[in-house]
């Protein structure tokens, strides 16, 4: 059957196959074609049957006339054929599309008597079908292009939302991965500037490492307990953290409800179709899983640090206990010595007292003797003084007696 209107209505499936063949080299077209086929089917069901029929006939006629015009519809064969069937038809071929719009009636007439058209001219029916198919394919391509454009816009929005979500994820990751394992603070300079230990490569904040290394005099890494040869500021990490903090401040200034809330709103907005609530749930549970994983990592590092501190403290306590014990021994010894000295001192004291007593007795004796000596001396003086004159008197008497006897 060569009648175009009924041809399109009757062989829609065949046309579709041709259209699909023509556009099957477009990227992603086949999948979209299936979707479109289904949508078009539903549309057709909803449409009023009569109106559909009328439209199909009218559109087919218009299409056919355009094709005929393009193929050189003014040729004698076709012109004659139409002229035979209907005078109105002849005017269409001569005056083109503008005339044909008001000529649904004659088109219907043609439909009713296709055998009179007599396709014996220069235009072959296969050519008309090919041209028609090509046009339909063009229209389909345009619609597909629009569809793909819309699809790519949706995709871009989703990508933007996912980028935001990724930013948020990276921000949280950066915040947790770059907190000091000892004090949990984000390592923001200058107080908590990141310090890299050598050779183990672990990083702590300046405050904690100062307390660990200088104040407590510990020379091993709090996490891996390797000996610390040296330490240095981690400038690249410091810059990263500073950039992050600045960006976060800017973001929080712009969005008072916070970065995460914003991201979630955008992500939710990018999934308006109700067919994927499970995806949202999965996203949330993924977020929750990430959060718990980070929490677990933090606690594990913290636990390592604290276990190391416990080990250190246990050995320190044992060493201090040993030192205390030896100190106690020394103390006991000194106590014994003290007792000994005290005992000896008591003996000496008694001896001293005895000596002092003896000495005072002796002192008294000395005093008495000196007194007696003095008394004796004065008695001697007295006797001497008495004896002297007596002797002189005696001498005088002797002299007198000697003189008397000589006379
Ligand atoms: Zn710290
Ligand atoms: Zn270490």
């Amino acid at each position: 059957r060569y009648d175009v209107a009924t041809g399109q209505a009757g062989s829609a499936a065949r046309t579709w196959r041709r259209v699909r063949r023509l556009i099957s080299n477009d990227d992603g077209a086949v999948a979209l074609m299936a979707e479109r086929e289904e949508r078009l089917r539903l549309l057709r069901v909803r449409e009023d049957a009569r109106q559909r029929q009328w439209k199909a006939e009218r559109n087919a006629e218009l299409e056919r006339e355009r094709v005929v015009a393009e193929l050189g519809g003014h040729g004698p064969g076709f012109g004659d054929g139409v002229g035979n069937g209907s005078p109105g038809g002849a005017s269409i071929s001569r005056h083109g599309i503008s005339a044909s719009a008001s000529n649904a009636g004659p088109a219907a007439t043609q439909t009713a008597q296709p055998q009179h058209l007599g396709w014996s001219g220069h235009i072959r029916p296969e050519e008309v079908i090919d041209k028609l198919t090509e046009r339909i394919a063009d229209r389909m391509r345009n619609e597909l292009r629009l569809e793909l454009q819309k699809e790519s816009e949706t995709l871009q929005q989703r990508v933007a939302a996912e980028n935001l979500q990724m930013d948020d994820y990276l921000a949280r990751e950066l915040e947790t991965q770059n907190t000091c394992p000892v004090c949990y603070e984000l390592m923001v300079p200058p107080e908590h500037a990141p310090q890299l230990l050598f050779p183990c490569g672990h990083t702590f904040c300046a405050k904690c490492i100062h307390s660990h290394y200088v104040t407590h005099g510990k020379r091993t890494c709090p996490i891996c307990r390797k000996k610390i040869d040296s330490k240095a500021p981690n400038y690249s990490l410091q810059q990263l953290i500073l950039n992050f903090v600045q960006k976060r401040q800017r973001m929080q200034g712009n969005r008072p409800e916070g970065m995460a809330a914003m991201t979630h709103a955008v992500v939710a907005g990018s999934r308006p179709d109700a067919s994927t609530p499970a995806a949202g749930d999965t996203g949330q549970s993924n977020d929750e899983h990430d959060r718990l994983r980070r929490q677990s990592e933090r606690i594990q590092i913290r636990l390592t640090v604290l276990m190391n501190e416990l080990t250190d403290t246990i050995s320190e306590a044992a060493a201090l206990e040993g030192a205390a014990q030896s100190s106690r021994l020394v103390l006991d010894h000194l106590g014994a010595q003290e007792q000994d000295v005290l005992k000896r001192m008591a003996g000496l004291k008694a001896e001293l007292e005895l000596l002092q007593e003896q000495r005072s007795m002796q002192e008294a004796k000395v005093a008495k003797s000196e007194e007696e000596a003095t008394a004796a001396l004065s008695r001697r003086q007295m006797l001497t003084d008495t004896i002297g004159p007596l002797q002189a008197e005696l001498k005088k008497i002797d002299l007198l007696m000697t003189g008397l006897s000589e006379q």
Side-chain angles (χ1 to χ4, degrees):
R1 302 184 64 186
Y2 300 120
D3 175 74
V4 180
T6 47
Q8 193 201 24
S11 60
R14 202 177 55 221
T15 312
W16 264 119
R17 278 200 295 278
R18 298 189 71 159
V19 170
R20 289 185 63 160
R21 221 174 25 246
L22 274 164
I23 60 170
S24 62
N25 52 349
D26 284 22
D27 264 347
V30 176
L32 276 167
M33 283 305 297
E35 206 182 304
R36 275 197 57 75
E37 262 176 321
E38 174 65 11
R39 214 177 294 168
L40 282 170
R41 192 184 63 77
L42 287 170
L43 256 173
R44 275 200 295 272
V45 168
R46 271 204 302 273
E47 259 174 10
D48 177 67
R50 199 183 51 81
Q51 191 187 358
R52 191 180 68 226
Q53 176 73 18
W54 179 82
K55 268 192 175 173
E57 284 173 2
R58 188 168 163 274
N59 287 339
E61 180 61 20
L62 282 170
E63 203 73 64
R64 191 183 68 83
E65 281 158 6
R66 279 191 215 114
V67 169
V68 167
E70 277 175 30
L71 289 170
H74 53 278
F78 186 79
D80 287 344
V82 175
N84 290 342
S86 144
S91 76
I92 296 161
S93 62
R94 256 183 234 110
H95 303 297
I97 306 156
S98 59
S100 68
S102 57
N103 280 336
T109 317
Q110 284 171 7
T111 311
Q113 23 183 257
Q115 65 272 32
H116 298 303
L117 285 172
W119 299 90
S120 54
H122 299 295
I123 307 158
R124 299 184 52 77
E126 289 84 358
E127 279 182 282
V128 176
I129 293 286
D130 281 350
K131 197 75 181 173
L132 263 176
T133 310
E134 223 170 280
R135 281 174 163 275
I136 293 170
D138 275 348
R139 253 207 323 264
M140 297 302 297
R141 276 207 197 92
N142 277 334
E143 283 173 24
L144 262 175
R145 199 175 302 132
L146 283 172
E147 193 106 350
L148 283 170
Q149 210 172 330
K150 223 184 275 174
E151 191 77 12
S152 100
E153 276 167 16
T154 316
L155 209 69
Q156 275 172 0
Q157 282 173 0
R158 195 171 296 174
V159 165
E162 273 163 13
N163 281 346
L164 254 178
Q165 200 183 19
M166 195 64 194
D167 278 356
D168 188 42
Y169 172 80
L170 286 175
R172 273 179 286 163
E173 199 70 7
L174 193 137
E175 197 162 356
T176 36
Q177 293 303 319
N178 295 302
T179 51
C180 167
V182 177
C183 67
Y184 277 177
E185 291 286 330
L186 184 63
M187 292 184 277
V188 184
E191 192 183 5
H192 293 282
Q195 295 277 322
L196 186 64
L197 302 187
F198 293 104
C200 77
H202 283 117
T203 301
F204 301 89
C205 80
K207 193 179 177 184
C208 288
I209 208 65
H210 185 269
S211 153
H212 180 78
Y213 192 87
V214 179
T215 313
H216 293 103
K218 291 183 180 171
R219 294 290 180 268
T220 56
C221 168
I223 289 180
C224 67
R225 295 167 62 74
K226 266 192 192 159
K227 190 176 167 295
I228 302 170
D229 281 352
S230 63
K231 63 188 170 66
N234 192 339
Y235 283 120
S236 61
L237 184 61
Q238 185 171 318
Q239 201 51 50
L240 187 76
I241 291 171
L242 271 179
N243 289 344
F244 165 73
V245 168
Q246 279 161 8
K247 192 178 175 192
R248 187 177 61 179
Q249 279 165 353
R250 270 206 306 279
M251 297 290 254
Q252 280 169 349
N254 293 342
R255 305 183 302 196
E257 70 273 36
M259 202 155 150
M262 181 71 180
T263 311
H264 288 146
V266 170
V267 171
S270 75
R271 290 182 189 139
D273 43 335
S275 63
T276 54
D281 288 352
T282 313
Q284 276 181 5
S285 81
N286 278 344
D287 283 356
E288 181 67 4
H289 186 269
D290 275 345
R291 197 183 63 74
L292 290 173
R293 180 180 56 74
R294 275 192 294 272
Q295 202 177 349
S296 157
E297 281 170 5
R298 279 167 61 140
I299 291 176
Q300 274 172 25
I301 292 177
R302 181 80 181 133
L303 209 61
T304 309
V305 171
L306 289 177
M307 287 303 280
N308 288 339
E309 260 186 51
L310 180 66
T311 313
D312 283 353
T313 310
I314 286 172
S315 57
E316 230 170 84
L320 287 173
E321 177 58 29
Q325 210 162 355
S326 53
S327 292
R328 262 202 305 278
L329 282 175
V330 172
L331 182 68
D332 287 351
H333 179 67
L334 288 173
Q337 273 187 328
E338 190 192 10
Q339 287 303 314
D340 191 35
V341 170
L342 279 173
K343 228 183 272 174
R344 276 191 293 160
M345 211 164 86
L348 285 170
K349 199 182 169 189
E351 211 174 322
L352 179 70
E353 278 169 5
L354 189 67
L355 278 171
Q356 280 172 340
E357 199 182 326
Q358 285 175 346
R359 186 172 157 273
S360 61
M361 273 165 67
Q362 199 57 34
E363 244 171 15
K365 218 187 262 181
V366 167
K368 199 186 168 191
S369 305
E370 279 174 353
E371 209 179 297
E372 282 172 352
T374 310
L377 272 176
S378 61
R379 227 180 17 251
R380 196 190 77 180
Q381 193 59 46
M382 218 167 63
L383 284 171
T384 314
D385 289 351
T386 314
I387 288 167
L390 280 175
Q391 283 174 336
E393 208 180 320
L394 193 58
K395 218 168 196 177
K396 216 188 313 169
I397 292 169
D398 276 348
L399 280 170
L400 283 169
M401 282 177 52
T402 312
L404 278 171
S405 49
E406 283 172 4
Q407 286 171 357

